Amino acid sequence: MRREREGPEGRERRGPSVVGLLLLVNGLSFLIEMALPGWIFPRLALWPLGPVPADLALPPDMPLGEFHLWQLLSYAFLHGSLFHLGINMFVLWMFGSPLERDWGSQRFAAYYVLCVLAAGAVQLVVVSTGAYAPTVGASGGVYALLLAFGMRYPNQYILLLIPPIPMKAKYFVIVIGLVELWSGIAGTRQGVAHFAHLAGMVAGLVLMLAWRQRPPPVDRRHG
């Protein structure tokens, strides 16, 4: 997908952008994953609560881990494949960049981290009461950015790649939300954290509505 035109221009930024730092950290994390998977996944992936099922089948190169509190954030910097990483980072760059320019770096960082934490908390409940499996990926935060973009620039057109159909951002957000809800309930795509995606969007909605009631914080990194 791509945006057919840029959103409103923000203020001039001083210093590195949060989006740029997130792209860098995610990229470096993926390289470390590839080099040290046996150390990274047991400690930084989001592991369910409770005992490990006796019949649990994991890939031979993935040792078992256990839940630690920091995993509610660290899971979002790991990815299961290069394709998984590429898609999330592309969407993060495309939709996160105009939001950061508009909001400022402090608000953008707070929004992203809070939505990642909310998505992780919901996913922890899901995997601890259902199919036992570790969770990785920035999708909870990325879906929250899609929600924010749709609310901030509702009438801006997004051109989908497959199929190549232009769609207003507000309708695109509604469609992907309904798709995720249906997929999560029906279980049509196993191995995908649909409820984490939805939790990220819901957390983003709550923050967007709350922030409408008060002015944004001052970001001293902007002129």
Side-chain angles (χ1 to χ4, degrees), residues 11 99-104 107-108 111 148 152 208 211:
R11 295 162 290 178
L99 289 171
E100 184 179 0
R101 288 195 299 268
D102 191 19
W103 289 346
R107 169 174 275 196
F108 178 84
Y111 179 88
R152 193 69 185 88
M208 293 288 287
W211 285 345

Side-chain angles (χ1 to χ4, degrees), residues 1 22 64 67 84 110 122 131-132 149 158 171 177 190 198 204-205:
M1 69 187 73
L22 288 172
L64 289 173
F67 173 73
H84 187 202
V122 169
Y132 188 103
F149 189 91
I158 297 171
Y171 300 131
Q190 296 297 322
L198 286 169
L205 176 62

